[in-house]
């Protein structure tokens, strides 16, 4: 299925969880935050939260800034 | 002498130099410069993770550890209340519930001047969400008071435009803000060199937040050291209380016992 990940189309398996997505992206264990359709999904819910087709997913991290 | 500390909300600090992490050559230089400043509060931005790039590259938080520094996520790059609040919520998730943020809602790209209308709206929403807000604002004493009354834990008027290095262009307004404020007032933005930082501290500001003045110096680590000293010198001068200015000379040596 297709989702939008950080503004770009992205393909992943049906009924993938956030944990699956992060694993696929090689981001497991990184300091980041995940939002689906403008709702923050806390880390404690990453395993249980399944992605749906057309979900708008944002993954953010800390970068240098003033 | 009692330690010269200050409080932001319930957190107590001794370093009055707060620094950003942007515009450095690389993370190694970022870490070295920030270490040299002695800063305890360090601000950073929140951005989309690069998908598909090398994920083994070090992350900012690997070199600026949340265990060592009080991290201050900022909303730089946000031009309205909605994006700012969203960024703060993401930052809180990123930092496992840490609720101290630097709100900055910008007006336009040319000046990066604060949009005060959106800043006030965002402040109200962030208060409702339980954040502790340090707010970047213009040097308008009325707006500053309003932000304090809404519950901001620090008021941070600009000295001059972000990244301009023009110094403190309207010290009189900063003084008016300090006269009324019961929370810390920190100059955020505009400092270009060490004397600007010392000047802000001599005026009685609680602290100074800077980024470009260090990061874009020819030698950032050396400038970091200069800024640390300037902040300390300015603070001590403020506490010491400067002499009164006089129009005419006043001899430093005794007038008695002259040889002729």
């Amino acid at each position: 299925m297709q989702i939008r990940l950080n503004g770009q189309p992205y393909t992943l398996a049906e009924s993938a969880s956030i944990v699956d997505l992060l694993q696929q992206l090689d981001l497991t264990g990184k300091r980041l935050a995940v939002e689906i359709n403008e709702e923050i999904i806390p880390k404690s819910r990453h395993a249980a939260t399944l992605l749906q087709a057309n979900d708008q997913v944002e993954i953010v991290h800390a970068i240098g800034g003033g | 002498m009692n330690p010269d500390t200050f409080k932001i909300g319930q957190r107590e600090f001794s370093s009055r130099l707060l620094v950003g992490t942007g515009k450095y050559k690389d993370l190694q230089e970022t870490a070295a410069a920030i270490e040299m400043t002695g800063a305890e509060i360090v601000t950073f931005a929140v951005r989309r993770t690069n998908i598909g790039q090398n994920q083994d590259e070090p992350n900012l938080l690997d070199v600026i550890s949340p265990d060592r520094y009080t991290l201050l996520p900022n909303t730089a790059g946000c031009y309205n209340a909605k994006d700012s609040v969203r960024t703060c919520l993401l930052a809180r998730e990123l930092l496992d519930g840490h609720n101290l943020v630097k709100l900055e809602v910008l007006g336009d790209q040319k000046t990066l001047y604060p949009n005060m209308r959106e800043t006030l709206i965002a402040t109200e929403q962030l208060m409702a969400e339980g954040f502790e807000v340090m707010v970047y604002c213009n040097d308008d004493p009325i707006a500053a008071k309003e932000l304090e009354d809404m519950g901001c834990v620090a008021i941070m008027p600009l000295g001059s435009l972000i990244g301009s290095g023009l110094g403190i262009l309207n010290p009189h307004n900063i003084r008016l803000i300090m006269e009324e404020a019961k929370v810390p007032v920190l100059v955020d933005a505009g400092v270009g060199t060490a004397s600007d930082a010392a000047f802000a501290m001599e005026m009685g500001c609680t602290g100074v937040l800077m980024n470009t003045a260090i990061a874009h110096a020819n030698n950032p680590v050396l400038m970091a050291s200069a800024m640390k000293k300037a902040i300390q010198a300015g603070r001590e001068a403020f506490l010491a209380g400067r002499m009164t200015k006089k129009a005419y000379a006043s001899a430093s040596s005794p007038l008695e016992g002259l040889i002729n």
Side-chain angles (χ1 to χ4, degrees):
Chain A
M1 64 177 180
Q2 283 260 317
I3 59 168
R4 279 192 83 79
L5 174 60
N6 287 2
Q8 302 291 325
Y10 188 82
T11 306
L12 82 170
E14 298 286 334
S15 73
S17 69
I18 295 177
V19 167
D20 297 331
L21 174 64
L22 293 178
Q23 201 161 15
Q24 193 170 321
L25 294 169
D26 207 13
L27 289 173
T28 304
K30 302 281 180 191
R31 284 183 190 275
L32 43 78
V34 179
E35 194 188 59
I36 300 180
N37 303 326
E38 297 197 19
E39 187 201 338
I40 301 215
I41 311 297
K43 290 174 190 74
S44 58
R45 281 168 46 206
H46 283 188
T49 303
L50 304 185
L51 292 155
Q52 312 288 325
N54 303 317
D55 274 347
Q56 309 274 331
V57 180
E58 296 287 344
I59 303 176
V60 301
H61 69 316
I63 65 148
Chain B
M1 200 169 104
N2 293 326
D4 180 30
T5 60
F6 67 101
K7 273 188 161 182
I8 291 177
Q10 295 305 308
R11 300 172 170 92
E12 193 164 8
F13 301 99
S14 52
S15 171
R16 293 169 184 274
L17 175 53
L18 288 69
V19 292
T21 50
K23 299 179 175 174
Y24 285 97
K25 187 178 68 189
D26 51 36
L27 284 177
Q28 198 182 353
E29 188 185 72
T30 311
I34 287 169
E35 163 105 41
M36 182 60 86
T37 65
E40 293 168 307
I41 304 177
V42 179
T43 187
F44 69 88
V46 176
R47 291 291 182 275
R48 283 172 164 167
T49 299
N50 292 321
I51 302 300
Q53 291 193 2
N54 179 12
Q55 306 299 358
D56 292 332
E57 283 174 16
N59 183 284
L60 177 71
L61 299 185
D62 296 335
V63 297
I64 305 296
S65 164
D67 301 329
R68 171 158 181 206
Y69 297 100
T70 296
L71 293 182
L72 182 65
N74 65 55
T75 64
C78 292
Y79 287 84
N80 58 56
K82 180 175 182 271
D83 290 348
S84 310
V85 173
R86 190 177 171 193
T87 301
C88 289
L89 290 167
L90 283 163
R92 185 161 68 181
E93 164 65 10
L94 184 64
L95 296 178
D96 304 315
H98 177 71
N99 70 346
L100 184 69
V101 292
K102 172 185 157 183
L103 174 65
E104 67 179 281
V105 192
L106 304 174
D108 70 21
Q109 290 187 4
K110 184 175 171 184
T111 65
L112 302 179
Y113 208 79
N115 177 328
M116 292 307 293
R117 183 174 176 273
E118 293 292 318
T119 299
L120 289 161
I121 295 169
T123 299
E124 193 163 33
Q125 294 175 7
L126 290 171
M127 290 299 153
E129 290 282 354
F131 283 95
E132 291 190 271
V133 179
M134 300 175 70
V135 61
Y136 167 66
C137 57
N138 64 15
D139 58 13
D140 167 358
I142 306 302
K145 193 67 198 156
E146 203 168 344
L147 288 164
E148 180 180 350
D149 290 344
M150 290 171 82
C152 289
V153 293
I155 306 297
M156 304 202 290
L158 75 174
S160 52
L161 301 182
I162 293 173
S164 71
L166 291 174
I168 319 285
L169 294 186
N170 197 341
H172 305 287
N173 273 29
I174 306 272
R175 276 196 195 96
L176 288 174
I177 291 172
M178 286 191 295
E179 267 175 37
E180 297 303 319
K182 293 182 183 64
V183 297
V185 175
L186 300 100
V187 165
D188 182 0
V191 164
T193 187
S195 54
D196 296 334
F199 178 65
M201 295 310 296
E202 286 170 6
M203 281 168 51
C205 291
T206 299
V208 177
L209 196 162
M210 67 180 75
N211 189 152
T212 313
I214 299 172
H216 276 188
N218 286 334
N219 182 338
V221 177
L222 189 56
M223 185 57 88
S225 166
M227 289 299 186
K228 179 183 184 176
K229 291 167 184 158
I231 293 282
Q232 285 171 351
R235 177 65 183 171
E236 287 180 14
F238 169 73
L239 293 175
R242 62 154 297 148
M243 61 164 281
T244 311
K245 291 185 184 180
K246 299 187 189 91
Y248 299 102
S250 162
S252 298
S253 309
L255 298 174
E256 297 83 36
L258 288 166
I259 53 169
N260 58 358

